[in-house]
Amino acid sequence: MHEALCKSADLLTRYGGHEMAVGLSLEQKNFESFREKMKKIAKDSHADELVSIIKIDKEIFAKDITFDIINGLKNLEPFGEANKIPLFLYKNLRIDSIRSLSEGKHLKLTLKDDYLTVNGIGFGFGDLANTFRLGDKVDVVVALEINEFNNTKSIQLNIKDIRKSI
């Protein structure tokens, strides 16, 4: 982003930032030119070909998904840029139910392995509700959570990535 802003400096009143955030000011008369220049820079840099990398801390299994373990993860808080929330790979789960929520924005799943049935939520993954089918086997990258609803606590997988099992 910083490089793109440097290439657009002639259109900006000021700009700056750091690795995780940028800010800028520009006059309204320069907005359309700035927008077009940024689109060209993105196209020329092949930004659409970038692949995000998710750092997985550990592969987990049904025995690892307990209230005690999830509560123990709270000892690692607070989470943020310098202390990322632990992410886990859980493989070969069967989809028992799947649907989108919030006008198609989010994905709600019930996943099952040989020993455990657990709910999963994928914020921003709603479009995948039509990609996967009941019975499909999937691998998920998740953050482990405790969901509390109607005075009932349950374990929930906060899905960060999902793919068909290979």
Side-chain angles (χ1 to χ4, degrees), residues 51-56 87-90 93 107 109 111 121-123 125 128 132 138-143 157-164:
V51 176
S52 59
I53 296 172
I54 298 175
K55 182 183 178 302
I56 297 168
L87 296 179
F88 302 97
L89 173 63
Y90 196 5
L93 300 165
L107 184 67
L109 297 158
L111 300 167
I121 184 79
F123 295 105
F125 287 95
L128 296 180
F132 297 103
V138 294
D139 302 333
V140 291
V141 176
V142 301
L157 305 178
N158 185 326
I159 298 169
K160 304 300 182 183
D161 201 6
I162 183 171
R163 70 174 185 195
K164 286 193 177 181

Side-chain angles (χ1 to χ4, degrees), residues 125-137:
F125 287 95
D127 58 323
L128 296 180
N130 295 319
T131 301
F132 297 103
R133 302 282 178 242
L134 294 179
D136 280 354
K137 294 280 189 150

Side-chain angles (χ1 to χ4, degrees), residues 96-148:
D96 267 5
S97 73
I98 184 169
R99 63 187 170 103
S100 63
L101 301 173
S102 301
E103 299 172 6
K105 293 178 190 168
H106 311 302
L107 184 67
K108 178 76 172 161
L109 297 158
T110 303
L111 300 167
K112 187 172 188 170
D113 70 8
D114 293 335
Y115 307 99
L116 179 71
T117 300
V118 65
N119 290 319
I121 184 79
F123 295 105
F125 287 95
D127 58 323
L128 296 180
N130 295 319
T131 301
F132 297 103
R133 302 282 178 242
L134 294 179
D136 280 354
K137 294 280 189 150
V138 294
D139 302 333
V140 291
V141 176
V142 301
L144 298 175
E145 300 177 339
I146 296 175
N147 183 27
E148 190 168 348

Side-chain angles (χ1 to χ4, degrees), residues 27-120:
E27 294 181 22
Q28 188 169 0
K29 68 181 183 182
N30 292 333
F31 178 77
E32 199 57 41
S33 297
F34 174 74
R35 187 169 76 99
E36 290 305 314
K37 194 166 198 173
M38 292 301 282
K39 284 166 74 173
K40 181 176 181 346
I41 290 169
K43 182 179 179 193
D44 292 348
S45 70
H46 304 284
D48 59 329
E49 296 173 11
L50 293 176
V51 176
S52 59
I53 296 172
I54 298 175
K55 182 183 178 302
I56 297 168
D57 293 289
K58 183 174 180 8
E59 182 174 353
I60 57 172
F61 305 91
K63 67 178 178 54
D64 301 313
I65 302 176
T66 67
F67 284 100
D68 286 342
I69 287 175
I70 296 170
N71 284 324
L73 291 172
K74 292 180 191 292
N75 293 325
L76 302 175
E77 293 177 348
F79 298 119
E81 189 54 39
N83 185 34
K84 306 250 188 219
I85 191 165
L87 296 179
F88 302 97
L89 173 63
Y90 196 5
K91 293 169 123 181
N92 208 31
L93 300 165
R94 187 182 76 234
I95 298 176
D96 267 5
S97 73
I98 184 169
R99 63 187 170 103
S100 63
L101 301 173
S102 301
E103 299 172 6
K105 293 178 190 168
H106 311 302
L107 184 67
K108 178 76 172 161
L109 297 158
T110 303
L111 300 167
K112 187 172 188 170
D113 70 8
D114 293 335
Y115 307 99
L116 179 71
T117 300
V118 65
N119 290 319

